[in-house]
Amino acid sequence: CDLVMMSDPKFADDLGLDIHIRTNIVRYWSYIKSVGIRIGNDILEIEGTLDEDDAEPHYWINYEYQGDLDDIAGFTVTQELPSVYKRQYKIDLSPKYPDQYILVQLFKEFVRVQFHGGEEVFGNTVGLLGEYSTGKTFARDGSTVMNDFVELGDEWQVIPSEPKLFHEITRPQFPQKCIQPEDPRGERRRRLAESVISIDQAEAACAQLKDPLDIKDCVYDILATQDLDMVGAF
């Protein structure tokens, strides 16, 4: 499902910023499969890979696969490959916002987007991430607070009037709603009962992390994916 993570038409002196994520559902959970970023007239799409032996970068710049990628709208883009199945892209916003940047991190098929910047950079954005100053998650009308994350996702599903940031169209697309897991709580209990990797094993693998929230997320991700290597994503 394609969702509006962040949008600000006034970003960087009216260049504008749109960030859409494409999610993939697996049983009772989902993950970000790819991200599309528009700044000005340029569009960068990035996705991960299921193949652990695939060290190729999977990106499209202005819909061209592995096209020349030095910058997006004048903001330098650099790539790093810490390991075969880890890669990161850094969009340096310094020309307009010194020492601020957007970071896209890949771990296998999983995509994470991080924003390093203050209110001057992201203070006017709207979308799934909510209001910068308060963290409140609003509907598209800018005033209705939405605390149900399923309803919030439906509210911020990409609609036809918004820019097309992915090189191909996949279902569902608006007005079709995003696919929801069937009975996620019951399914999760059943899957945990069938798990090969136990909670104790997941907690032991994640114990090396320092941030309590990272540890919690790490344990959940290992149990969901049944992959102890997921600790490497943190």
Side-chain angles (χ1 to χ4, degrees), residues 4-8 124-130 156:
V4 178
M5 188 179 212
M6 176 181 288
S7 180
D8 177 10
N124 295 319
T125 57
V126 298
L128 278 177
L129 295 185
W156 287 103

Side-chain angles (χ1 to χ4, degrees), residues 27-59:
R27 302 191 299 271
Y28 59 86
W29 54 278
S30 64
Y31 65 94
I32 300 175
K33 177 180 182 291
S34 55
V35 59
I37 302 172
R38 180 198 68 84
I39 302 178
N41 294 321
D42 289 339
I43 297 172
L44 174 61
E45 177 187 352
I46 300 169
E47 71 176 23
T49 175
L50 283 164
D51 186 351
E52 296 181 12
D53 297 321
D54 182 4
E56 287 291 311
H58 295 283
Y59 71 84

Side-chain angles (χ1 to χ4, degrees), residues 27-28 108 188 190-206 218-231:
R27 302 191 299 271
Y28 59 86
K108 299 183 179 179
R188 183 169 184 260
R190 183 176 71 81
R191 290 290 179 176
L192 284 175
E194 297 174 352
S195 295
V196 175
I197 296 173
S198 68
I199 293 177
D200 288 344
Q201 288 174 307
E203 289 177 343
C206 300
C218 174
V219 170
Y220 180 88
D221 287 354
I222 287 178
L223 292 175
T225 61
Q226 288 292 286
D227 182 358
L228 286 170
D229 286 344
M230 284 302 296
V231 67

Side-chain angles (χ1 to χ4, degrees), residues 65-118:
Y65 182 62
Q66 293 184 350
D68 292 338
L69 183 57
D70 297 317
D71 68 273
I72 174 171
F75 298 105
T76 301
V77 179
T78 55
Q79 298 184 52
E80 292 185 9
L81 186 65
S83 67
V84 172
Y85 47 76
K86 291 181 72 172
R87 184 182 293 271
Q88 71 175 27
Y89 297 77
K90 180 180 179 181
I91 302 175
D92 186 358
L93 304 177
S94 292
K96 175 60 181 175
Y97 308 107
D99 301 320
Q100 313 300 297
Y101 56 92
I102 298 170
L103 192 66
V104 177
Q105 296 175 306
L106 309 178
F107 183 81
K108 299 183 179 179
E109 69 267 41
F110 303 98
V111 178
R112 174 187 292 178
V113 187
Q114 295 185 329
F115 302 94
H116 297 260

